[in-house]
Amino acid sequence: MDLTNAKWRKSSYTGSNGGNCVELAGAAGAVAVRDSKDPDGPVLLLSRAALRTAVESALTTR
């Protein structure tokens, strides 16, 4: 999938020092996720439902 023109968004919890964050971008039928410190690195593509499940799971295991 070509993500050259994707509009990446950082977490609102990202501080001015960069922090350890992920970036998200909408893609055709999916959400692209990448490491903000490695924007040219690998990208994980998830359905919106899968991303929602992952986030909900992370929030309940804190």
Side-chain angles (χ1 to χ4, degrees):
M1 176 176 289
D2 182 12
L3 296 170
T4 304
N5 295 316
K7 294 183 185 192
W8 294 95
R9 295 173 287 154
K10 279 188 185 178
S11 165
S12 61
Y13 289 99
T14 301
S16 60
N17 65 353
N20 295 319
C21 296
V22 297
E23 294 178 314
L24 304 176
V31 178
V33 182
R34 71 180 183 186
D35 182 346
S36 64
K37 289 187 176 183
D38 188 13
D40 295 321
V43 173
L44 179 64
L45 291 174
L46 299 168
S47 69
R48 292 182 189 282
L51 178 61
R52 185 179 314 109
T53 299
V55 170
E56 288 172 351
S57 177
L59 292 174
T60 60
T61 60
R62 296 192 309 171

